[in-house]
Amino acid sequence: MKFFFLGIVCLLATQNFFGQTITVLDKISQEPIEGVFVYDESHSPSRAETTDIKGQMNLEKFKKSKQLFLRHQSYELKVIDLGSSLRLNLIFLEPTWHSIPPIEVKAPRRQNSEAHNIGNSIQRINAITARLENPQTSADMIAQSGQVLIQKSQMGGGSPIIRGFEANRILLVVDGVRMNNAIYRSGHLQNAITIDPHYLSSTEIIFGPSSVLYGSDALGGVIHFHTKKPKFSLKKDEQEVGVNAFLRSSTANSERTGHLDFNLAGQRIAYNLSFSASSFGDLKMGRRRSHGYEDWGIVSSFVDPENDEVVQNTKQNLQPRTGYDQIDLGSKLFIQLKDSATLLFNLQFSTSSDINRWDRLNDFSDGIPRWAEWYYGPQERLFTAISLNLKKSKYFDDAVITAAYQQVEESRNTRRLNSEFRTNRVEKVDIFSLNADFSKRFKKRSTVYYGLELIRNDVASEASENHISSSLSLPASTRYPDGGSAVQSAAIYSSLSTSHSKTLKSNIGVRFSYNTLETLFENNDFFLLPFEEIDFDNQAITGTIGIEKLLKEQTQLKLNVSSGFKSPNVDDAGKVFEKDGFIVVPNEEVKPEYVVNTEIGINHFWNKRQSSFSIAAYYTRIFDALVRRDFQLNGADSLMFEGELARIQTNVNIDQAEIFGISLGLNWEINDWFRWSSTFNWTEGRDRDDQTPLAHIPPVFGKSELIFYNESLTGALYAYYNGWKRTEDFSPGTTDNPSEATIDGFPSWYTLNARVSRRFSPSFSFNFAIENILDQHYKTFASGLSASGRNLIFSATFNL
């Protein structure tokens, strides 16, 4: 691989780049910038040009000009002297930092989150940042923000934790459509990795309840993935073709990733296609055990599932059977129907190989592995959507109507050591949704947003015990009700955003939601539940009030009070699940959770707004919080499940719980070449009834980074750090995975890392990074998988 990269560099270095075409690039990421307005000293519109989708522009029109001016709303004005030579005909623009976005009617609701989350903290990860950070998966990309912790039970996973909320209390959204479905569980989720990080244009992390915008589940926040939209040609009567290719290799898990996308741009029709394929081998953990627990995370033996032999692990820092493969496909067709209407067709598909559940395969009983097999089958996600965008009507300035269909399939396959039967549990979910979002501006300072949402989820759950060497098949207990489940919701919302002056703006919003759940247990022989179905409906009214005030153009004060709710889904009410000697059984009496959150923030700017410091303090009160507690079924507190006695638990509502914390952020432009950034996050949470700790509460964590950039070269030195999570701070039960920790909990840790990116030509750049330089051994909070040891990363990007 390294010789391939070296050959490409040498080939490109011998070419003649001094032609009539210039390429305009971002100074930090060296990515091409489309839509840069270029003019000369005459300032004549007839002598102006705009860069195309490759960031390129021909200089033919400016032969007699002495100077060129390059202007773009997201970058500093650039003036160049045409009498001076340009290295490789590359021009670099410096991005502007930390401007406060005005309230504009660019798109309603989900496409314009700033207007709806006034007073809330929002972090945006654009494609430029993601390419520099060079993540393996979208979950890794989110972790690189330094404000979201990621839990991993296996390498093919990544469960975001935002302010003490995780899994189905965090809402995942892609292109305005919610990904959360009826079987998103309350423990840990790996669904975020089904989003291709190389197909993203940006990702928004919205902190705090966002139920007015997004409805149920958005208790801790929203992660909104925006995939790349096809680009129209900016050149009259010309079609443009842009091609991007990406190759990446890393040593810690023998990763091989390839990505290809292209954009076909016409005047009124544009199309893009994206394809990514990744192969990951077994993961190496760090060798240096600064925490002092010499055997923690080491698996001395593992099972060869072909013949049920227990094999000694000769490479004890290697976590065997953790590798997997993944394929992601994305495609969009964008049609300009007329000046006031566009139509967008959106198709996405993600699938994987089997993914071994590492935190199960490392379970031992009397020194012998419990499981010969414990793996997820191919995780498949199909997403289709049609979006109609309309402008300039009597009743709205902008409207987006989106109809979507998603299909999700996942399976769990388990076989105990020396057992001749494999248990297969398969779940299929069909999700239908319709969103209609509108905005209307009044008196130049106020904008009303309103809309509706309809959603239906149909769940089918099957299970069987299959003999591994014959066709014999026996019935098994299903994970969810075997008679099927249906979850429906309908909602209307409205909000008003107002710019009272240049220094004061506010937002007030309200949403009404109606939710139903129906499940049927056809075969009740396994657990003898006292009910055969779960059937309930509930309503919720949620609201938000946000205010932002700018003081002397240097300090911004933020206040937000918002409420949220989560209607129990099929996983909350009807799941059967065993882990670490506990078995969770269905409960027909669960109720919705409600939260009220208050957030106060201060942003201070200096150095012409190029530097900033932010602090946000939040307090969340949870009412009818849904937690896992010990339970009795038919008078018994334990039952036999698949040959082992397990203690019974179920999900119940407690009276109240609370979560509070502080987030800090610093971005300091030291000079024209160096920038320092840092984050710090502290969260606490407890049950107010008995003062027991809540699950999902992370330890102190953050990130610090020193960035260097000088036109075609960008580099960074950075560190991630986590505090202790002590055993006494774990919640009751297994959610925080105490069995994966040391006897004292999850030790504190830090890693030192470095990366550098170099653009050699308008069409080729090369990245190199080294992660965990000190080869530290650690696990992130609640993870079963030990994190990567020292990791060398090589990647190359081609823009054709």
Side-chain angles (χ1 to χ4, degrees):
M1 182 66 73
K2 65 181 180 180
F3 295 108
F4 171 75
F5 288 150
L6 181 61
I8 293 293
V9 172
C10 295
L11 175 64
L12 293 172
T14 60
Q15 297 183 17
N16 177 16
F17 296 101
F18 294 91
Q20 294 296 314
T21 299
I22 62 170
T23 302
V24 183
L25 306 170
D26 184 289
K27 181 179 178 181
I28 308 300
S29 70
Q30 301 126 48
E31 289 289 328
I33 308 172
E34 178 192 13
V36 178
F37 188 63
V38 184
Y39 54 94
D40 64 8
E41 62 273 11
S42 69
H43 296 270
S44 172
S46 63
R47 298 185 62 181
E49 286 285 354
T50 305
T51 57
D52 61 17
I53 59 176
K54 301 178 184 179
Q56 295 181 342
M57 186 205 69
N58 195 283
L59 291 176
E60 185 69 25
K61 186 178 289 187
F62 302 104
K63 279 185 175 181
K64 298 181 180 180
S65 303
K66 296 180 180 180
Q67 286 185 318
L68 286 185
F69 298 81
L70 291 85
R71 184 181 295 277
H72 190 283
Q73 63 180 357
S74 300
Y75 294 86
E76 301 285 350
L77 175 67
K78 179 85 169 184
V79 182
I80 62 173
D81 186 352
L82 290 179
S84 62
S85 60
L86 298 175
R87 184 185 178 279
L88 303 181
N89 282 10
L90 303 179
I91 298 177
F92 295 89
L93 300 187
E94 185 165 342
T96 55
W97 297 82
H98 308 295
S99 60
I100 299 176
I103 298 177
E104 297 179 358
V105 186
K106 292 183 178 179
R109 200 179 99 166
R110 300 169 185 245
Q111 287 74 23
N112 185 22
S113 60
E114 295 95 342
H116 298 275
N117 290 276
I118 290 175
N120 274 79
S121 298
I122 303 176
Q123 181 162 357
R124 187 168 290 100
I125 306 170
N126 57 31
I128 291 173
T129 303
R131 192 192 72 80
L132 284 176
E133 298 283 3
N134 213 358
Q136 283 192 345
T137 68
S138 289
D140 295 330
M141 176 193 69
I142 295 166
Q144 289 167 346
S145 69
Q147 296 195 52
V148 179
L149 200 66
I150 298 294
Q151 181 275 349
K152 290 189 178 182
S153 298
Q154 65 279 336
M155 197 167 67
S159 185
I161 304 174
I162 300 179
R163 294 185 174 180
F165 291 93
E166 188 182 357
N168 60 18
R169 293 167 178 83
I170 301 284
L171 185 65
L172 303 182
V173 180
V174 58
D175 295 331
V177 178
R178 56 185 290 136
M179 292 176 60
N180 289 40
N181 59 55
I183 63 170
Y184 265 39
R185 54 190 178 273
S186 59
H188 312 292
L189 281 175
Q190 70 268 24
N191 299 70
I193 71 167
T194 65
I195 300 294
D196 182 5
H198 311 298
Y199 190 44
L200 292 174
S201 61
S202 66
T203 301
E204 289 177 331
I205 305 172
I206 306 169
F207 298 88
S210 302
S211 291
V212 169
L213 280 74
Y214 297 102
S216 178
D217 304 354
L219 299 185
V222 176
I223 301 175
H224 193 158
F225 300 101
H226 299 272
T227 59
K228 294 178 181 178
K229 183 180 288 187
K231 300 176 180 178
F232 291 118
S233 175
L234 299 176
K235 298 179 180 179
K236 188 176 181 180
D237 301 325
E238 288 188 31
Q239 291 185 341
E240 298 180 68
V241 178
V243 180
N244 297 291
F246 174 83
L247 295 173
R248 172 186 157 119
S249 175
S250 59
T251 60
N253 56 2
S254 303
E255 177 207 5
R256 299 291 183 270
T257 294
H259 168 79
L260 178 68
D261 69 74
F262 76 89
N263 186 94
L264 178 61
Q267 295 295 300
R268 303 187 72 87
I269 298 179
Y271 175 76
N272 70 17
L273 177 66
S274 170
F275 175 80
S276 295
S278 296
S279 177
F280 305 101
D282 294 338
L283 181 65
K284 296 178 183 177
M285 67 180 79
R287 295 176 181 271
R288 185 182 179 191
R289 296 179 167 268
S290 301
H291 46 62
Y293 300 90
E294 294 302 321
D295 297 327
W296 183 43
I298 289 180
V299 176
S300 58
S301 60
F302 62 96
V303 176
D304 177 1
E306 294 296 326
N307 49 26
D308 275 11
E309 286 186 357
V310 178
V311 180
Q312 293 301 308
N313 186 8
T314 58
K315 300 179 180 179
Q316 292 198 352
N317 288 299
L318 187 71
Q319 299 172 93
R321 301 175 65 185
T322 52
Y324 76 102
D325 301 326
Q326 182 166 327
I327 293 176
D328 297 288
L329 176 69
S331 179
K332 289 182 180 179
L333 177 64
F334 198 22
I335 302 174
Q336 184 81 47
L337 300 176
K338 52 184 179 179
D339 292 341
S340 60
T342 61
L343 193 62
L344 179 66
F345 297 89
N346 192 344
L347 171 66
Q348 299 169 32
F349 179 72
S350 177
T351 188
S352 70
S353 64
D354 293 340
I355 300 176
N356 284 316
R357 179 76 179 261
W358 174 249
D359 67 341
R360 295 303 191 97
L361 294 181
N362 67 8
D363 287 348
F364 285 73
S365 178
D366 297 327
I368 300 175
R370 293 179 60 197
W371 302 97
E373 298 175 292
W374 210 122
Y375 63 91
Y376 293 108
Q379 182 172 259
E380 296 185 353
R381 179 182 69 91
L382 173 67
F383 173 94
T384 60
I386 302 176
S387 296
L388 176 65
N389 187 292
L390 303 172
K391 298 182 183 296
K392 300 302 181 184
S393 166
K394 178 181 178 180
Y395 302 102
F396 57 81
D397 296 324
D398 206 330
V400 178
I401 302 171
T402 301
Y405 167 72
Q406 301 175 74
Q407 185 181 76
V408 174
E409 180 174 337
E410 59 183 49
S411 65
R412 292 162 179 81
N413 308 275
T414 62
R415 184 171 66 86
R416 296 184 184 275
L417 184 62
N418 298 320
S419 173
E420 296 184 348
F421 284 87
R422 179 188 298 114
T423 302
N424 305 101
R425 292 184 172 90
V426 181
E427 275 68 55
K428 295 181 180 179
V429 188
D430 294 296
I431 308 112
F432 306 87
S433 62
L434 175 67
N435 295 93
D437 304 307
F438 306 89
S439 63
K440 180 67 176 179
R441 191 161 190 170
F442 295 94
K443 300 179 180 179
K444 297 183 179 181
R445 290 191 173 185
S446 297
T447 302
V448 173
Y449 300 86
Y450 60 97
L452 61 87
E453 180 177 63
L454 302 174
I455 301 172
R456 179 181 174 89
N457 284 226
D458 292 314
V459 182
S461 188
E462 301 176 351
S464 61
E465 289 192 18
N466 303 299
H467 196 272
I468 59 176
S469 57
S470 73
S471 59
L472 178 62
S473 180
L474 302 174
S477 62
T478 56
R479 181 176 174 87
Y480 301 114
D482 58 340
S485 305
V487 175
Q488 300 181 94
S489 68
I492 56 173
Y493 79 93
S494 180
S495 67
L496 173 67
S497 296
T498 304
S499 181
H500 302 278
S501 66
K502 292 182 179 180
T503 61
L504 179 65
K505 55 185 179 181
S506 67
N507 176 68
I508 182 170
V510 64
R511 179 187 183 101
F512 172 77
S513 300
Y514 178 76
N515 307 272
T516 66
L517 182 147
E518 299 175 354
T519 69
L520 176 63
F521 298 89
E522 290 185 342
N523 185 355
N524 199 15
D525 295 338
F526 291 100
F527 303 106
L528 300 178
L529 297 172
F531 49 85
E532 295 182 352
E533 62 182 25
I534 300 176
D535 187 354
F536 63 73
D537 61 77
N538 56 71
Q539 305 85 39
I541 297 178
T542 53
T544 183
I545 299 175
I547 299 172
E548 291 184 2
K549 174 67 176 177
L550 187 62
L551 304 177
K552 298 182 180 179
E553 298 186 356
Q554 291 182 332
T555 303
Q556 181 190 44
L557 303 179
K558 302 166 63 176
L559 172 65
N560 181 276
V561 179
S562 56
S563 62
F565 82 103
K566 182 190 178 304
S567 180
N569 64 12
V570 177
D571 188 271
D572 297 317
K575 177 174 65 175
V576 174
F577 168 72
E578 183 276 334
K579 185 180 180 183
D580 295 338
F582 293 88
I583 183 167
V584 177
V585 298
N587 183 2
E588 63 175 341
E589 297 181 356
V590 293
K591 299 182 294 184
E593 297 175 285
Y594 298 91
V595 301
V596 176
N597 179 76
T598 301
E599 179 174 345
I600 300 174
I602 299 175
N603 295 335
H604 180 69
F605 303 88
W606 72 95
N607 191 21
K608 298 181 180 179
R609 301 183 66 81
Q610 297 299 300
S611 301
S612 69
F613 172 77
S614 64
I615 179 171
Y618 54 91
Y619 178 85
T620 304
R621 179 67 64 90
I622 311 172
F623 301 91
D624 292 326
L626 200 60
V627 299
R628 194 173 297 170
R629 292 290 186 263
D630 291 340
F631 186 69
Q632 289 190 348
L633 186 63
N634 301 320
D637 62 4
S638 300
L639 60 80
M640 294 297 297
F641 182 76
E642 297 183 349
E644 290 190 1
L645 188 65
R647 188 171 178 177
I648 300 174
Q649 292 188 332
T650 194
N651 289 321
V652 298
N653 296 92
I654 61 175
D655 186 21
Q656 292 187 42
E658 61 185 1
I659 296 175
F660 49 91
I662 294 175
S663 294
L664 305 176
L666 172 66
N667 283 283
W668 174 29
E669 186 176 45
I670 301 172
N671 54 38
D672 290 339
W673 300 280
F674 290 96
R675 171 172 290 274
W676 176 267
S677 68
S678 190
T679 63
F680 174 87
N681 306 273
W682 168 75
T683 308
E684 292 287 341
R686 58 176 175 257
D687 179 343
R688 287 179 59 87
D689 292 347
D690 56 17
Q691 296 301 307
T692 57
L694 293 182
H696 309 291
I697 304 299
V700 168
F701 72 96
K703 176 186 178 182
S704 292
E705 184 174 29
L706 178 65
I707 304 171
F708 166 81
Y709 48 91
N710 184 20
E711 295 190 341
S712 60
L713 181 67
T714 299
L717 296 172
Y718 55 102
Y720 295 100
Y721 36 86
N722 266 223
W724 266 93
K725 181 70 174 184
R726 299 286 179 178
T727 303
E728 57 267 26
D729 295 326
F730 288 2
S731 70
T734 63
T735 301
D736 287 344
N737 282 338
S739 63
E740 299 295 337
T742 71
I743 191 173
D744 301 308
F746 287 93
S748 59
W749 57 267
Y750 70 93
T751 64
L752 299 179
N753 316 271
R755 58 177 168 80
V756 64
S757 179
R758 177 76 160 86
R759 180 167 288 277
F760 291 92
S761 77
S763 58
F764 176 73
S765 64
F766 182 80
N767 283 21
F768 170 75
I770 177 169
E771 297 177 337
N772 197 357
I773 296 172
L774 300 181
D775 206 20
Q776 298 275 15
H777 175 267
Y778 68 99
K779 290 185 182 182
T780 56
F781 164 60
S783 292
L785 190 75
S786 293
S788 167
R790 185 180 296 117
N791 187 26
L792 305 182
I793 303 170
F794 307 88
S795 66
T797 303
F798 308 87
N799 309 111
L800 307 176

